[in-house]
Amino acid sequence: MTEPSNLSTYVLRLADDAMVLGQRISEWTSNSPNLEEDIANSNVALDYLGRARMLYAYAATMLNTTEDELAFMRDARQYTNLLMHELPKGDYAFSTVRQFFIDSFDVLYFEQLVNSSDAQLAAIAAKTLKECRYHVRRSRDLMVRLGDGTEESHTRMQTALNELWGYRHELFMDDELETELQQQGIAITRTDLQQAWDAAINDCLAEATLSIPETDWTVTGGRAGVHSEHLGHMLDDMQCLHRSYPGVTW
Amino acid sequence: MSDLAPELDNFQQKIDDEQRIEPKDWMPEKYRLNLIRQMSQHAHSEVIGMQPEGNWISSAPSLYRKIVLLSKVQDEAGHGLYLYSATETLGISRAEMNSRLQSGESKYASIFNYPSLTWADVGAIGWLVDGAAIVNQVSLQRTSYGPYARAMIRICKEESFHQRQGYDIMVKLAEGSKEQREMAQDAINRWWWPSLMMFGPHDSDSVNSQQSMKWKIKRQSNDDLRQKFVDQTVQQTEILKLELPDPDLKWNEERQHYDFGEIDWDEFYQVIKGNGHCNRDRIKHHVSAHEEGAWVRDAMTAYAEKKAQRKEVA
Amino acid sequence: MSDPSLILFEVFVRSNRGLDHQHVGSVYASDHEQALVNARDVYIRRGEGVSIWVVKTDDIVASQESDVDTFYDPMDDKAYRHAMSYPMPEGVKNI
């Protein structure tokens, strides 16, 4: 592998985000509330995994390696996804709220990234943006249905909201590396997106009869490889087979 | 009974003339029940069949394989749904079919009670199990009940990639390391005979066969379809330079077909009766997903009702 | 079993601009909006459509087989409505 550049590190971050969330969503396959939801979840997971592949493949050309090497041979400490993406799927409420948070963010993010001065990233963003716009339509719809459904569904949704609330800050943090890339017109300024995201969330929560959590908190560390305890276990399962037979083709 | 005779004649005439029977048509109650049994069993098989492969989505050995497998398992869900849809036109709800599956009253393909132990099993299931299913399904595209035939046409079109991706996995394993070849051979050894059993008992022992053939619910006999599958699979195995676990398998010049050994029917009935590795796991998994999802389905309904009420008020 | 409370919808897909919508199957959903989203996820996994209709199954009124005599047979004896019943002299073109 060649030495990472700012750009390859950045692409890898976005790839890791898509990878771990895609893996999580795929856990709903054959476990969803009905066949319709099952099929829809698989569609979303396929979009994320497809995005991960495009980004890993791009990073791999810069790093002189392969997409699978990047996905399967790095440990949890080397993964740089934002924490929200890696959390276990939880109940349907938890997965729905997480999905809505991330979909809402992704739409804003990729709307900007299509203008990246890096042509490859801009192209990936254009494809991703179409997917995100569909995802958010579906996850927002579910937010309202489950938030304003039964007493049980409302309680579960509010609980999920409370449990995820403190992870949102990480979505909007720019570090030195991304700031440098922003100056070159490659990356997006995350802090700039917060206001629009807040508005989208508030608007939806009101319609879903859910409340903004009373207590706020902040957990970060994903970009530095300091993850929840869950990521390691997820990667064990995901990477085990690939690592057990080094150097072969599948 | 005699009152129904003209209708029955008319019905049989349509079938003999290769016309399709459609949902609103008059049909003998036994035809309807026979179809419900076969179609719901077929739907359940698609849905339960998601499990043995689905367990490998999380640990597929490459990103490409992960995506292919996920889209394949998703198709199984889709095909289950198409078949439930088609069966509902016979006047039974999906909820009722679900509950019959979970109570054990309704069956699914017994092969899914075998465990999938290694990655090669994903290849073997795609190649052999889907391969066997496709032989059956191609024949069912001409089944006499319209909605069933149309579902089959749609399913066959989509499933063509399933068997190929399975075979493609086997090709890569067969061309791979010693461990990979062994893994592939082991999977063939375990899945070959159960795949042959998928076609059901010999025609002479099959309870429902004769009536089903007369009504053209089934278009070809169990043994004919099984022979077709064996004939096409032998050559595919040779290309892999792997072996089918049957010492009696050999070309019969006179019949122009392969002869093969006797199936262990005792094992077949044992697994159906509940003595397979996974009978309990498969149903437990299905029940638990269904129960954990109950609050979601309830909430969706409650929301729609609220919304409808608000509309009325406004 | 709480499924019966969801509603069955029939799904029609236009596979390409310029073609009719065709019936493809059904989905369960709690209302029309959700039925549309579900139909998209279930029936156009391979990009098979450019437009979808969903209709509550209960809202479809269908003719009965017993209506055949009165509905269709009387319409089946009007050969003069089909172009084939007018033999044309040999050599006539573009008609």
Side-chain angles (χ1 to χ4, degrees), chain A residues 23 30-31 33 36 39 43 68 148-149 237-238 242 245 249-250, chain B residues 58-59 61-63 65-66 74 94 180 183 285 295 297 306 310:
Chain A
Q23 176 85 357
S30 94
N31 287 303
E36 284 81 352
I39 292 165
N43 273 341
D68 283 337
D148 191 18
D237 178 36
M238 179 180 129
H242 181 94
Y245 300 86
T249 306
W250 299 99
Chain B
S58 69
S59 48
S62 73
L63 284 180
R65 291 293 177 200
K66 188 190 289 289
Q74 183 201 33
R94 196 197 298 176
Q180 284 177 305
M183 196 191 273
H285 180 124
W295 71 267
R297 299 188 300 273
K306 277 191 218 177
R310 280 175 210 150

PDB file of all heavy atoms in Angstrom, chain A residues 23 30-31 33 36 39 43 68 148-149 237-238 242 245 249-250, chain B residues 58-59 61-63 65-66 74 94 180 183 285 295 297 306 310:
ATOM      1  N   GLN A  23     -23.879  -2.730   6.300  1.00  0.00           N
ATOM      2  CA  GLN A  23     -23.812  -4.027   7.001  1.00  0.00           C
ATOM      3  C   GLN A  23     -24.927  -4.112   8.037  1.00  0.00           C
ATOM      4  O   GLN A  23     -25.602  -5.129   8.169  1.00  0.00           O
ATOM      5  CB  GLN A  23     -22.433  -4.154   7.657  1.00  0.00           C
ATOM      6  CG  GLN A  23     -22.222  -5.390   8.499  1.00  0.00           C
ATOM      7  CD  GLN A  23     -21.779  -6.616   7.705  1.00  0.00           C
ATOM      8  OE1 GLN A  23     -21.671  -6.566   6.476  1.00  0.00           O
ATOM      9  NE2 GLN A  23     -21.544  -7.720   8.386  1.00  0.00           N
ATOM     10  N   SER A  30     -34.664 -10.811   6.235  1.00  0.00           N
ATOM     11  CA  SER A  30     -35.360 -11.960   6.857  1.00  0.00           C
ATOM     12  C   SER A  30     -35.720 -11.695   8.322  1.00  0.00           C
ATOM     13  O   SER A  30     -36.176 -12.598   9.013  1.00  0.00           O
ATOM     14  CB  SER A  30     -34.602 -13.291   6.717  1.00  0.00           C
ATOM     15  OG  SER A  30     -33.800 -13.560   7.843  1.00  0.00           O
ATOM     16  N   ASN A  31     -35.570 -10.465   8.785  1.00  0.00           N
ATOM     17  CA  ASN A  31     -35.949 -10.129  10.170  1.00  0.00           C
ATOM     18  C   ASN A  31     -36.919  -8.945  10.277  1.00  0.00           C
ATOM     19  O   ASN A  31     -37.189  -8.476  11.377  1.00  0.00           O
ATOM     20  CB  ASN A  31     -34.691  -9.796  10.984  1.00  0.00           C
ATOM     21  CG  ASN A  31     -33.881 -11.038  11.304  1.00  0.00           C
ATOM     22  OD1 ASN A  31     -34.394 -11.977  11.903  1.00  0.00           O
ATOM     23  ND2 ASN A  31     -32.636 -11.073  10.881  1.00  0.00           N
ATOM     24  N   PRO A  33     -40.446  -6.500   9.876  1.00  0.00           N
ATOM     25  CA  PRO A  33     -41.833  -6.700  10.339  1.00  0.00           C
ATOM     26  C   PRO A  33     -42.758  -7.348   9.307  1.00  0.00           C
ATOM     27  O   PRO A  33     -43.723  -7.981   9.687  1.00  0.00           O
ATOM     28  CB  PRO A  33     -42.318  -5.282  10.653  1.00  0.00           C
ATOM     29  CG  PRO A  33     -41.081  -4.499  10.895  1.00  0.00           C
ATOM     30  CD  PRO A  33     -40.031  -5.098  10.013  1.00  0.00           C
ATOM     31  N   GLU A  36     -42.811  -6.664   2.840  1.00  0.00           N
ATOM     32  CA  GLU A  36     -42.640  -5.386   2.161  1.00  0.00           C
ATOM     33  C   GLU A  36     -41.476  -4.605   2.772  1.00  0.00           C
ATOM     34  O   GLU A  36     -40.624  -4.066   2.062  1.00  0.00           O
ATOM     35  CB  GLU A  36     -43.938  -4.557   2.242  1.00  0.00           C
ATOM     36  CG  GLU A  36     -45.045  -5.014   1.288  1.00  0.00           C
ATOM     37  CD  GLU A  36     -45.857  -6.206   1.795  1.00  0.00           C
ATOM     38  OE1 GLU A  36     -45.488  -6.803   2.831  1.00  0.00           O
ATOM     39  OE2 GLU A  36     -46.869  -6.547   1.152  1.00  0.00           O
ATOM     40  N   ILE A  39     -38.019  -6.301   2.002  1.00  0.00           N
ATOM     41  CA  ILE A  39     -37.515  -6.030   0.650  1.00  0.00           C
ATOM     42  C   ILE A  39     -37.000  -4.597   0.562  1.00  0.00           C
ATOM     43  O   ILE A  39     -35.949  -4.337  -0.031  1.00  0.00           O
ATOM     44  CB  ILE A  39     -38.633  -6.303  -0.374  1.00  0.00           C
ATOM     45  CG1 ILE A  39     -38.930  -7.810  -0.399  1.00  0.00           C
ATOM     46  CG2 ILE A  39     -38.256  -5.801  -1.755  1.00  0.00           C
ATOM     47  CD1 ILE A  39     -40.224  -8.191  -1.090  1.00  0.00           C
ATOM     48  N   ASN A  43     -33.149  -3.215  -0.233  1.00  0.00           N
ATOM     49  CA  ASN A  43     -32.838  -2.206  -1.253  1.00  0.00           C
ATOM     50  C   ASN A  43     -31.920  -1.121  -0.699  1.00  0.00           C
ATOM     51  O   ASN A  43     -30.944  -0.728  -1.335  1.00  0.00           O
ATOM     52  CB  ASN A  43     -34.125  -1.538  -1.761  1.00  0.00           C
ATOM     53  CG  ASN A  43     -34.760  -2.315  -2.902  1.00  0.00           C
ATOM     54  OD1 ASN A  43     -34.106  -3.129  -3.549  1.00  0.00           O
ATOM     55  ND2 ASN A  43     -36.037  -2.063  -3.148  1.00  0.00           N
ATOM     56  N   ASP A  68     -11.466  -4.937  -1.352  1.00  0.00           N
ATOM     57  CA  ASP A  68     -11.650  -5.943  -0.301  1.00  0.00           C
ATOM     58  C   ASP A  68     -10.565  -5.849   0.769  1.00  0.00           C
ATOM     59  O   ASP A  68     -10.817  -6.075   1.947  1.00  0.00           O
ATOM     60  CB  ASP A  68     -11.675  -7.352  -0.910  1.00  0.00           C
ATOM     61  CG  ASP A  68     -13.017  -7.647  -1.575  1.00  0.00           C
ATOM     62  OD1 ASP A  68     -14.011  -6.990  -1.206  1.00  0.00           O
ATOM     63  OD2 ASP A  68     -13.069  -8.519  -2.461  1.00  0.00           O
ATOM     64  N   ASP A 148     -46.431   8.705  15.422  1.00  0.00           N
ATOM     65  CA  ASP A 148     -47.838   9.036  15.652  1.00  0.00           C
ATOM     66  C   ASP A 148     -48.733   7.803  15.467  1.00  0.00           C
ATOM     67  O   ASP A 148     -49.876   7.908  15.051  1.00  0.00           O
ATOM     68  CB  ASP A 148     -48.256  10.144  14.665  1.00  0.00           C
ATOM     69  CG  ASP A 148     -49.629  10.727  15.010  1.00  0.00           C
ATOM     70  OD1 ASP A 148     -50.083  10.543  16.150  1.00  0.00           O
ATOM     71  OD2 ASP A 148     -50.234  11.337  14.124  1.00  0.00           O
ATOM     72  N   GLY A 149     -48.208   6.631  15.772  1.00  0.00           N
ATOM     73  CA  GLY A 149     -48.981   5.400  15.590  1.00  0.00           C
ATOM     74  C   GLY A 149     -49.728   5.008  16.847  1.00  0.00           C
ATOM     75  O   GLY A 149     -50.755   5.588  17.184  1.00  0.00           O
ATOM     76  N   ASP A 237     -17.327 -10.690  12.740  1.00  0.00           N
ATOM     77  CA  ASP A 237     -18.259 -11.495  11.967  1.00  0.00           C
ATOM     78  C   ASP A 237     -18.068 -11.245  10.473  1.00  0.00           C
ATOM     79  O   ASP A 237     -18.020 -12.164   9.663  1.00  0.00           O
ATOM     80  CB  ASP A 237     -19.685 -11.128  12.416  1.00  0.00           C
ATOM     81  CG  ASP A 237     -20.739 -11.882  11.635  1.00  0.00           C
ATOM     82  OD1 ASP A 237     -20.491 -13.062  11.299  1.00  0.00           O
ATOM     83  OD2 ASP A 237     -21.800 -11.295  11.361  1.00  0.00           O
ATOM     84  N   MET A 238     -17.898  -9.992  10.125  1.00  0.00           N
ATOM     85  CA  MET A 238     -17.822  -9.621   8.712  1.00  0.00           C
ATOM     86  C   MET A 238     -16.514 -10.094   8.059  1.00  0.00           C
ATOM     87  O   MET A 238     -16.500 -10.507   6.900  1.00  0.00           O
ATOM     88  CB  MET A 238     -17.941  -8.091   8.609  1.00  0.00           C
ATOM     89  CG  MET A 238     -17.857  -7.546   7.208  1.00  0.00           C
ATOM     90  SD  MET A 238     -18.016  -5.738   7.242  1.00  0.00           S
ATOM     91  CE  MET A 238     -16.579  -5.295   6.275  1.00  0.00           C
ATOM     92  N   HIS A 242     -13.068 -14.058   5.250  1.00  0.00           N
ATOM     93  CA  HIS A 242     -12.084 -13.495   4.340  1.00  0.00           C
ATOM     94  C   HIS A 242     -10.665 -13.675   4.891  1.00  0.00           C
ATOM     95  O   HIS A 242      -9.734 -14.022   4.170  1.00  0.00           O
ATOM     96  CB  HIS A 242     -12.377 -12.005   4.112  1.00  0.00           C
ATOM     97  CG  HIS A 242     -11.423 -11.336   3.176  1.00  0.00           C
ATOM     98  ND1 HIS A 242     -11.672 -11.203   1.838  1.00  0.00           N
ATOM     99  CD2 HIS A 242     -10.202 -10.776   3.387  1.00  0.00           C
ATOM    100  CE1 HIS A 242     -10.652 -10.582   1.247  1.00  0.00           C
ATOM    101  NE2 HIS A 242      -9.753 -10.309   2.173  1.00  0.00           N
ATOM    102  N   TYR A 245      -8.727 -17.390   5.036  1.00  0.00           N
ATOM    103  CA  TYR A 245      -8.106 -18.009   3.862  1.00  0.00           C
ATOM    104  C   TYR A 245      -7.334 -16.948   3.095  1.00  0.00           C
ATOM    105  O   TYR A 245      -7.770 -16.497   2.029  1.00  0.00           O
ATOM    106  CB  TYR A 245      -9.171 -18.633   2.958  1.00  0.00           C
ATOM    107  CG  TYR A 245      -9.980 -19.711   3.627  1.00  0.00           C
ATOM    108  CD1 TYR A 245     -11.105 -19.403   4.384  1.00  0.00           C
ATOM    109  CD2 TYR A 245      -9.608 -21.057   3.505  1.00  0.00           C
ATOM    110  CE1 TYR A 245     -11.848 -20.393   5.004  1.00  0.00           C
ATOM    111  CE2 TYR A 245     -10.346 -22.053   4.122  1.00  0.00           C
ATOM    112  CZ  TYR A 245     -11.463 -21.716   4.869  1.00  0.00           C
ATOM    113  OH  TYR A 245     -12.192 -22.699   5.477  1.00  0.00           O
ATOM    114  N   THR A 249      -9.077 -16.336  -4.012  1.00  0.00           N
ATOM    115  CA  THR A 249     -10.130 -15.609  -4.739  1.00  0.00           C
ATOM    116  C   THR A 249     -11.478 -16.250  -4.410  1.00  0.00           C
ATOM    117  O   THR A 249     -11.566 -17.461  -4.257  1.00  0.00           O
ATOM    118  CB  THR A 249      -9.884 -15.734  -6.259  1.00  0.00           C
ATOM    119  OG1 THR A 249      -8.551 -15.300  -6.517  1.00  0.00           O
ATOM    120  CG2 THR A 249     -10.859 -14.877  -7.036  1.00  0.00           C
ATOM    121  N   TRP A 250     -12.487 -15.423  -4.305  1.00  0.00           N
ATOM    122  CA  TRP A 250     -13.831 -15.948  -4.004  1.00  0.00           C
ATOM    123  C   TRP A 250     -14.749 -15.757  -5.187  1.00  0.00           C
ATOM    124  O   TRP A 250     -15.897 -15.821  -5.138  1.00  0.00           O
ATOM    125  CB  TRP A 250     -14.401 -15.259  -2.762  1.00  0.00           C
ATOM    126  CG  TRP A 250     -13.554 -15.515  -1.563  1.00  0.00           C
ATOM    127  CD1 TRP A 250     -12.611 -14.688  -1.035  1.00  0.00           C
ATOM    128  CD2 TRP A 250     -13.553 -16.683  -0.743  1.00  0.00           C
ATOM    129  NE1 TRP A 250     -12.016 -15.268   0.057  1.00  0.00           N
ATOM    130  CE2 TRP A 250     -12.577 -16.487   0.262  1.00  0.00           C
ATOM    131  CE3 TRP A 250     -14.278 -17.875  -0.744  1.00  0.00           C
ATOM    132  CZ2 TRP A 250     -12.309 -17.458   1.245  1.00  0.00           C
ATOM    133  CZ3 TRP A 250     -14.014 -18.828   0.227  1.00  0.00           C
ATOM    134  CH2 TRP A 250     -13.037 -18.618   1.203  1.00  0.00           C
TER     135      TRP A 250
ATOM    136  N   SER B  58     -23.847 -11.479   6.328  1.00  0.00           N
ATOM    137  CA  SER B  58     -22.977 -10.672   7.188  1.00  0.00           C
ATOM    138  C   SER B  58     -21.505 -11.059   7.042  1.00  0.00           C
ATOM    139  O   SER B  58     -20.636 -10.247   7.282  1.00  0.00           O
ATOM    140  CB  SER B  58     -23.421 -10.780   8.648  1.00  0.00           C
ATOM    141  OG  SER B  58     -23.164 -12.079   9.127  1.00  0.00           O
ATOM    142  N   SER B  59     -21.226 -12.295   6.644  1.00  0.00           N
ATOM    143  CA  SER B  59     -19.821 -12.715   6.595  1.00  0.00           C
ATOM    144  C   SER B  59     -19.363 -13.173   5.214  1.00  0.00           C
ATOM    145  O   SER B  59     -18.375 -13.894   5.104  1.00  0.00           O
ATOM    146  CB  SER B  59     -19.570 -13.812   7.629  1.00  0.00           C
ATOM    147  OG  SER B  59     -20.569 -14.797   7.533  1.00  0.00           O
ATOM    148  N   PRO B  61     -17.384 -13.426   1.863  1.00  0.00           N
ATOM    149  CA  PRO B  61     -15.933 -13.219   1.846  1.00  0.00           C
ATOM    150  C   PRO B  61     -15.437 -12.046   1.007  1.00  0.00           C
ATOM    151  O   PRO B  61     -14.251 -11.731   1.058  1.00  0.00           O
ATOM    152  CB  PRO B  61     -15.401 -14.538   1.284  1.00  0.00           C
ATOM    153  CG  PRO B  61     -16.514 -15.056   0.448  1.00  0.00           C
ATOM    154  CD  PRO B  61     -17.775 -14.620   1.102  1.00  0.00           C
ATOM    155  N   SER B  62     -16.295 -11.418   0.226  1.00  0.00           N
ATOM    156  CA  SER B  62     -15.876 -10.208  -0.488  1.00  0.00           C
ATOM    157  C   SER B  62     -17.075  -9.283  -0.595  1.00  0.00           C
ATOM    158  O   SER B  62     -18.224  -9.726  -0.423  1.00  0.00           O
ATOM    159  CB  SER B  62     -15.348 -10.551  -1.888  1.00  0.00           C
ATOM    160  OG  SER B  62     -16.426 -10.905  -2.731  1.00  0.00           O
ATOM    161  N   LEU B  63     -16.825  -8.023  -0.895  1.00  0.00           N
ATOM    162  CA  LEU B  63     -17.942  -7.078  -1.020  1.00  0.00           C
ATOM    163  C   LEU B  63     -18.848  -7.454  -2.182  1.00  0.00           C
ATOM    164  O   LEU B  63     -20.071  -7.365  -2.083  1.00  0.00           O
ATOM    165  CB  LEU B  63     -17.417  -5.650  -1.225  1.00  0.00           C
ATOM    166  CG  LEU B  63     -16.877  -4.961   0.025  1.00  0.00           C
ATOM    167  CD1 LEU B  63     -16.396  -3.563  -0.327  1.00  0.00           C
ATOM    168  CD2 LEU B  63     -17.935  -4.910   1.115  1.00  0.00           C
ATOM    169  N   ARG B  65     -19.410 -10.453  -3.401  1.00  0.00           N
ATOM    170  CA  ARG B  65     -20.244 -11.605  -3.028  1.00  0.00           C
ATOM    171  C   ARG B  65     -21.349 -11.200  -2.055  1.00  0.00           C
ATOM    172  O   ARG B  65     -22.444 -11.742  -2.063  1.00  0.00           O
ATOM    173  CB  ARG B  65     -19.387 -12.707  -2.407  1.00  0.00           C
ATOM    174  CG  ARG B  65     -18.452 -13.392  -3.379  1.00  0.00           C
ATOM    175  CD  ARG B  65     -19.201 -14.209  -4.425  1.00  0.00           C
ATOM    176  NE  ARG B  65     -18.288 -14.797  -5.390  1.00  0.00           N
ATOM    177  CZ  ARG B  65     -18.650 -15.230  -6.599  1.00  0.00           C
ATOM    178  NH1 ARG B  65     -19.912 -15.107  -6.990  1.00  0.00           N
ATOM    179  NH2 ARG B  65     -17.777 -15.751  -7.408  1.00  0.00           N
ATOM    180  N   LYS B  66     -21.027 -10.268  -1.188  1.00  0.00           N
ATOM    181  CA  LYS B  66     -22.028  -9.805  -0.209  1.00  0.00           C
ATOM    182  C   LYS B  66     -23.220  -9.184  -0.943  1.00  0.00           C
ATOM    183  O   LYS B  66     -24.379  -9.492  -0.650  1.00  0.00           O
ATOM    184  CB  LYS B  66     -21.387  -8.793   0.747  1.00  0.00           C
ATOM    185  CG  LYS B  66     -22.297  -8.392   1.926  1.00  0.00           C
ATOM    186  CD  LYS B  66     -21.755  -7.210   2.725  1.00  0.00           C
ATOM    187  CE  LYS B  66     -20.527  -7.553   3.540  1.00  0.00           C
ATOM    188  NZ  LYS B  66     -20.826  -8.431   4.685  1.00  0.00           N
ATOM    189  N   GLN B  74     -32.907 -11.141  -1.198  1.00  0.00           N
ATOM    190  CA  GLN B  74     -34.028 -10.204  -1.347  1.00  0.00           C
ATOM    191  C   GLN B  74     -35.016 -10.701  -2.397  1.00  0.00           C
ATOM    192  O   GLN B  74     -36.234 -10.605  -2.213  1.00  0.00           O
ATOM    193  CB  GLN B  74     -33.506  -8.826  -1.751  1.00  0.00           C
ATOM    194  CG  GLN B  74     -34.611  -7.783  -1.843  1.00  0.00           C
ATOM    195  CD  GLN B  74     -34.229  -6.596  -2.697  1.00  0.00           C
ATOM    196  OE1 GLN B  74     -33.489  -6.726  -3.677  1.00  0.00           O
ATOM    197  NE2 GLN B  74     -34.699  -5.436  -2.318  1.00  0.00           N
ATOM    198  N   ARG B  94     -52.810 -13.559   3.515  1.00  0.00           N
ATOM    199  CA  ARG B  94     -51.407 -13.858   3.829  1.00  0.00           C
ATOM    200  C   ARG B  94     -51.254 -14.153   5.316  1.00  0.00           C
ATOM    201  O   ARG B  94     -50.471 -15.013   5.702  1.00  0.00           O
ATOM    202  CB  ARG B  94     -50.499 -12.698   3.421  1.00  0.00           C
ATOM    203  CG  ARG B  94     -49.030 -13.123   3.357  1.00  0.00           C
ATOM    204  CD  ARG B  94     -48.062 -11.948   3.373  1.00  0.00           C
ATOM    205  NE  ARG B  94     -48.231 -11.060   2.240  1.00  0.00           N
ATOM    206  CZ  ARG B  94     -47.547  -9.919   2.100  1.00  0.00           C
ATOM    207  NH1 ARG B  94     -46.661  -9.566   3.009  1.00  0.00           N
ATOM    208  NH2 ARG B  94     -47.751  -9.141   1.065  1.00  0.00           N
ATOM    209  N   GLN B 180     -10.300 -24.698  -0.558  1.00  0.00           N
ATOM    210  CA  GLN B 180     -11.525 -24.258  -1.231  1.00  0.00           C
ATOM    211  C   GLN B 180     -12.167 -25.403  -2.024  1.00  0.00           C
ATOM    212  O   GLN B 180     -13.386 -25.559  -2.015  1.00  0.00           O
ATOM    213  CB  GLN B 180     -11.231 -23.072  -2.164  1.00  0.00           C
ATOM    214  CG  GLN B 180     -11.040 -21.752  -1.419  1.00  0.00           C
ATOM    215  CD  GLN B 180     -10.685 -20.620  -2.372  1.00  0.00           C
ATOM    216  OE1 GLN B 180      -9.715 -20.725  -3.123  1.00  0.00           O
ATOM    217  NE2 GLN B 180     -11.449 -19.552  -2.342  1.00  0.00           N
ATOM    218  N   MET B 183     -13.837 -27.687   0.368  1.00  0.00           N
ATOM    219  CA  MET B 183     -15.065 -27.052   0.855  1.00  0.00           C
ATOM    220  C   MET B 183     -16.185 -27.251  -0.173  1.00  0.00           C
ATOM    221  O   MET B 183     -17.328 -27.574   0.172  1.00  0.00           O
ATOM    222  CB  MET B 183     -14.764 -25.556   1.030  1.00  0.00           C
ATOM    223  CG  MET B 183     -15.739 -24.770   1.854  1.00  0.00           C
ATOM    224  SD  MET B 183     -15.410 -22.987   1.696  1.00  0.00           S
ATOM    225  CE  MET B 183     -14.191 -22.718   2.957  1.00  0.00           C
ATOM    226  N   HIS B 285     -37.200 -18.636  14.050  1.00  0.00           N
ATOM    227  CA  HIS B 285     -36.733 -17.383  13.428  1.00  0.00           C
ATOM    228  C   HIS B 285     -37.916 -16.625  12.811  1.00  0.00           C
ATOM    229  O   HIS B 285     -38.072 -15.414  13.009  1.00  0.00           O
ATOM    230  CB  HIS B 285     -35.703 -17.746  12.343  1.00  0.00           C
ATOM    231  CG  HIS B 285     -35.129 -16.569  11.605  1.00  0.00           C
ATOM    232  ND1 HIS B 285     -33.781 -16.326  11.540  1.00  0.00           N
ATOM    233  CD2 HIS B 285     -35.711 -15.574  10.899  1.00  0.00           C
ATOM    234  CE1 HIS B 285     -33.564 -15.228  10.819  1.00  0.00           C
ATOM    235  NE2 HIS B 285     -34.726 -14.761  10.417  1.00  0.00           N
ATOM    236  N   TRP B 295     -45.657  -4.699  16.661  1.00  0.00           N
ATOM    237  CA  TRP B 295     -45.933  -3.310  17.056  1.00  0.00           C
ATOM    238  C   TRP B 295     -45.779  -2.348  15.884  1.00  0.00           C
ATOM    239  O   TRP B 295     -46.471  -1.332  15.800  1.00  0.00           O
ATOM    240  CB  TRP B 295     -45.066  -2.891  18.248  1.00  0.00           C
ATOM    241  CG  TRP B 295     -43.595  -2.701  17.928  1.00  0.00           C
ATOM    242  CD1 TRP B 295     -42.608  -3.632  18.052  1.00  0.00           C
ATOM    243  CD2 TRP B 295     -42.952  -1.504  17.445  1.00  0.00           C
ATOM    244  NE1 TRP B 295     -41.397  -3.096  17.662  1.00  0.00           N
ATOM    245  CE2 TRP B 295     -41.579  -1.798  17.304  1.00  0.00           C
ATOM    246  CE3 TRP B 295     -43.408  -0.225  17.131  1.00  0.00           C
ATOM    247  CZ2 TRP B 295     -40.654  -0.855  16.844  1.00  0.00           C
ATOM    248  CZ3 TRP B 295     -42.482   0.726  16.675  1.00  0.00           C
ATOM    249  CH2 TRP B 295     -41.121   0.397  16.538  1.00  0.00           C
ATOM    250  N   ARG B 297     -46.403  -3.087  12.637  1.00  0.00           N
ATOM    251  CA  ARG B 297     -47.593  -3.220  11.779  1.00  0.00           C
ATOM    252  C   ARG B 297     -48.803  -2.565  12.443  1.00  0.00           C
ATOM    253  O   ARG B 297     -49.603  -1.893  11.785  1.00  0.00           O
ATOM    254  CB  ARG B 297     -47.851  -4.703  11.476  1.00  0.00           C
ATOM    255  CG  ARG B 297     -46.706  -5.389  10.720  1.00  0.00           C
ATOM    256  CD  ARG B 297     -47.077  -6.795  10.257  1.00  0.00           C
ATOM    257  NE  ARG B 297     -47.427  -7.685  11.348  1.00  0.00           N
ATOM    258  CZ  ARG B 297     -46.574  -8.429  12.053  1.00  0.00           C
ATOM    259  NH1 ARG B 297     -45.284  -8.364  11.781  1.00  0.00           N
ATOM    260  NH2 ARG B 297     -46.986  -9.201  13.019  1.00  0.00           N
ATOM    261  N   LYS B 306     -55.993   7.035  12.035  1.00  0.00           N
ATOM    262  CA  LYS B 306     -56.029   8.423  12.540  1.00  0.00           C
ATOM    263  C   LYS B 306     -56.089   9.410  11.386  1.00  0.00           C
ATOM    264  O   LYS B 306     -56.839  10.379  11.405  1.00  0.00           O
ATOM    265  CB  LYS B 306     -54.758   8.723  13.345  1.00  0.00           C
ATOM    266  CG  LYS B 306     -54.806   8.263  14.785  1.00  0.00           C
ATOM    267  CD  LYS B 306     -53.602   8.862  15.515  1.00  0.00           C
ATOM    268  CE  LYS B 306     -53.041   7.859  16.501  1.00  0.00           C
ATOM    269  NZ  LYS B 306     -51.833   8.355  17.181  1.00  0.00           N
ATOM    270  N   ARG B 310     -58.937  12.194  10.561  1.00  0.00           N
ATOM    271  CA  ARG B 310     -58.656  13.632  10.465  1.00  0.00           C
ATOM    272  C   ARG B 310     -59.181  14.199   9.153  1.00  0.00           C
ATOM    273  O   ARG B 310     -59.714  15.298   9.090  1.00  0.00           O
ATOM    274  CB  ARG B 310     -57.142  13.879  10.546  1.00  0.00           C
ATOM    275  CG  ARG B 310     -56.617  13.855  11.965  1.00  0.00           C
ATOM    276  CD  ARG B 310     -55.098  13.985  11.972  1.00  0.00           C
ATOM    277  NE  ARG B 310     -54.540  13.287  13.114  1.00  0.00           N
ATOM    278  CZ  ARG B 310     -53.340  12.721  13.147  1.00  0.00           C
ATOM    279  NH1 ARG B 310     -52.565  12.756  12.090  1.00  0.00           N
ATOM    280  NH2 ARG B 310     -52.909  12.117  14.226  1.00  0.00           N
TER     281      ARG B 310
END
